[in-house]
Amino acid sequence: MRIYKVGGAVRDRLLGIPVTDIDRVVVGATTEEMLAKGFRPVGADFPVFLHPKTGEEYALARTERKSGRGYGGFTFHASPEVTLEEDLIRRDLTINAMAEDDQQNLTDPYHGQRDLEARILRHVSPAFAEDPLRVLRVARFAARYAGLGFTVAPETLELMRQLSQSGELQALTAERSWKEISRALMEDQPQVFIEVLRACDALKVLMPEVDALFGVPQPEAHHPEIDTGVHTLSVLEQAAKHKQPLTVRWACLLHDLGKGLTPEEEWPRHIAHEFKGLKLIKAVNERFKAPRDCQELALLVGEYHTHGHRALELKPSTLLELLQSFDVYRRPQRFEEFIAACEMDARGRKGLEERSYPQADYLRGAATAARSVAVQPLLEKGFKGPELGEAIKRERLKALKVYKEKA
Ligand code: ATP
Ligand code: MG
């Protein structure tokens, strides 16, 4: 049996960037031989094993054939006769279809190294079209390597477009899509992920609510970039620049969906877009079964981001409602993430990327003021049940009035 490193490990070593996980392919072996060597089998369908000591992945060389819609519609064929070249040809991109042995001898039948040097993301073979997930994967790699100058080959983008228009994207499960989306959002240039999906018509299919923002104008005074789609991309870009977590990035992507619903006669204003967008945010959340913290933050940011921007003008009672809506007393972290998303929204505007955002500290101070209200004295005064709740609210309101006067 011969063992090769494949995929990301080879690609990233040649790019000179740190290798995070190592995938290996085993040629000329049977399942029985692997088990006899102590490898542990994983996954029901794939002939993939974990190394008895290192826990790293070793997959038997295999070929694949499409036999139906979606991912379930694949038949795998793994046997000792499958060659390395046959295994590599089923892979998505040429830069992912290289292998190397222990001595770093490269096997590169599909010219991955050439494309690596030319900074091109190119599909390996027409079989690319057999798995629609590859549309998302390519967009994700584009987001990851945009900083190195990589772009998608025109013929690959064309294949992605055909896949998007064929209806195959709808066959993807929420779980597989979310895995790609969430990883892509955490890349250095997540806005490139959305741009590439849009360029191949996949965005229309996956997130029509986001796609609809392109071509929708906003008032130039607040939004020098004017276009709502362009703004959304800039907000994502800022979120990545400021190393925001996934929850914040997801909220950034969805915060303005309501603007896609504004009747053209009302452009460039978007009255009540915050509230109108909620049902769209909910739909996208549910479509991809986003984790609960991502779902929650996206809805809260959607509803309250304008409050964030107007923080310094808010009446103490409105400020209190805001803090209550966030349950800032028990969920301080979530409020911090809201503030971060608002700040990214403010910076994701043409020419305003470096502006200061005093609202952030003001909101933090307000939360601290409201949280500083002690419950014990109220208990001692004999308040209980709903009355206690009301008394706490009154005290918090007082604290916020004092805070606002001082600020
Ligand atoms: P990462 O650095 O994100 O791990 P990677 O290229 O190693 O990047 P993996 O998801 O670990 O990506 O997959 C390992 C290899 O398996 C890829 O490089 C690619 O060759 C192949 N591969 C994975 N998923 C697919 C797919 N859906 N279609 C085609 N090839 C795939
Ligand atoms: Mg990998």
Side-chain angles (χ1 to χ4, degrees):
M1 80 172 65
R2 278 155 294 134
I3 297 175
Y4 302 87
K5 286 185 189 169
V6 283
V10 181
R11 178 195 67 220
D12 289 343
R13 186 185 69 76
L14 291 171
L15 280 173
I17 58 184
V19 171
T20 44
D21 87 319
I22 302 179
D23 303 293
R24 288 188 179 78
V25 66
V26 184
V27 179
T30 60
T31 295
E32 292 68 31
E33 287 170 289
M34 295 300 282
L35 296 176
K37 284 184 182 290
F39 281 87
R40 283 170 286 135
V42 278
D45 337 315
F46 297 102
V48 178
F49 302 84
L50 297 182
H51 191 277
K53 292 220 178 70
T54 64
E56 288 174 336
E57 273 192 20
Y58 289 69
L60 293 189
R62 65 176 190 258
T63 58
E64 294 174 353
R65 222 167 337 108
K66 192 165 174 65
S67 56
R69 269 176 87 88
Y71 201 51
F74 263 109
T75 42
F76 300 95
H77 170 69
S79 84
E81 283 78 45
V82 175
T83 65
L84 183 57
E85 285 75 8
E86 284 170 332
D87 179 275
L88 294 175
I89 202 169
R90 70 174 171 83
R91 292 169 186 268
D92 46 9
L93 296 171
T94 59
I95 63 165
N96 290 342
M98 297 181 277
E100 66 181 24
D101 63 16
D102 283 347
Q103 277 80 50
Q104 294 192 346
N105 294 311
L106 199 66
T107 303
D108 181 19
Y110 311 109
H111 309 295
Q113 206 173 13
R114 193 172 69 195
D115 286 336
L116 212 55
E117 274 154 27
R119 304 299 198 228
I120 290 176
L121 303 172
R122 191 196 312 277
H123 65 282
V124 176
S125 85
F128 179 91
E130 294 183 356
D131 180 6
L133 190 77
R134 292 169 189 159
V135 172
L136 287 114
R137 281 180 60 92
V138 174
R140 172 165 68 81
F141 283 115
R144 183 189 295 180
Y145 296 122
L148 295 176
F150 276 85
T151 56
V152 181
E155 65 270 29
T156 301
L157 200 65
E158 182 50 38
L159 254 184
M160 290 160 72
R161 186 173 297 123
Q162 286 169 19
L163 259 169
S164 304
Q165 292 170 350
S166 71
E168 280 283 311
L169 279 179
Q170 278 100 321
L172 288 174
T173 62
E175 288 75 12
R176 288 188 89 208
S177 300
W178 177 256
K179 202 168 155 221
E180 291 301 324
I181 293 167
S182 56
R183 291 182 72 185
L185 289 178
M186 290 313 289
E187 298 293 354
D188 281 348
Q189 302 211 39
Q191 77 282 6
V192 172
F193 175 68
I194 303 295
E195 278 169 341
V196 169
L197 291 181
R198 180 161 177 259
C200 70
D201 295 340
L203 192 61
K204 267 208 271 283
V205 180
L206 295 167
M207 299 185 201
E209 301 86 349
V210 176
D211 193 65
L213 300 178
F214 291 87
V216 174
Q218 308 163 101
E220 196 173 355
H222 293 295
H223 285 281
E225 73 288 347
I226 300 176
D227 189 274
T228 311
V230 172
H231 163 59
T232 299
L233 295 180
S234 304
V235 178
L236 258 188
E237 185 179 352
Q238 289 301 315
K241 228 178 226 159
H242 291 267
K243 307 273 182 243
Q244 298 297 345
L246 179 62
T247 44
V248 173
R249 297 184 192 204
W250 182 241
C252 285
L253 177 63
L254 306 185
H255 79 285
D256 264 347
L257 292 190
K259 289 182 179 172
L261 295 175
T262 311
E264 273 188 52
E265 312 83 79
E266 292 177 24
W267 286 356
R269 300 196 61 205
H270 299 279
I271 301 149
H273 74 274
E274 301 86 351
F275 179 73
K276 288 185 201 157
L278 290 180
K279 62 173 190 282
L280 302 185
I281 297 174
K282 186 162 180 276
V284 181
N285 271 339
E286 286 171 1
R287 183 173 318 136
F288 298 109
K289 298 192 184 144
R292 180 190 284 266
D293 55 350
C294 287
Q295 295 208 17
E296 274 181 10
L297 191 72
L299 286 165
L300 286 163
V301 169
E303 186 164 2
Y304 294 111
H305 60 275
T306 308
H307 277 58
H309 301 325
R310 299 218 180 107
L312 281 84
E313 296 120 66
L314 296 180
K315 291 185 291 190
S317 58
T318 313
L319 212 41
L320 180 62
E321 276 167 39
L322 181 69
L323 297 172
Q324 303 283 107
S325 304
F326 277 84
D327 191 10
V328 75
Y329 319 101
R330 278 184 295 184
R331 307 281 303 272
Q333 182 59 30
R334 188 170 64 177
F335 192 61
E336 269 302 322
E337 290 177 356
F338 163 72
I339 294 172
C342 290
E343 183 169 344
M344 299 308 111
D345 178 19
R347 290 180 188 278
R349 306 175 191 213
K350 199 172 149 215
L352 299 171
E353 295 83 358
E354 305 302 324
R355 79 203 304 194
S356 64
Y357 195 68
Q359 291 92 328
D361 275 340
Y362 184 81
L363 287 167
R364 285 186 193 108
T368 306
R371 254 202 310 266
S372 69
V373 168
V375 179
Q376 193 57 33
L378 298 171
L379 285 170
E380 281 163 17
K381 281 188 191 158
F383 288 110
K384 355 183 226 286
E387 280 187 3
L388 177 64
E390 285 308 309
I392 296 173
K393 261 175 107 172
R394 271 198 307 276
E395 292 302 315
R396 285 175 177 158
L397 188 57
K398 263 195 236 165
L400 286 172
K401 280 181 181 154
V402 172
Y403 174 73
K404 188 172 163 65
E405 276 160 24
K406 278 202 204 148

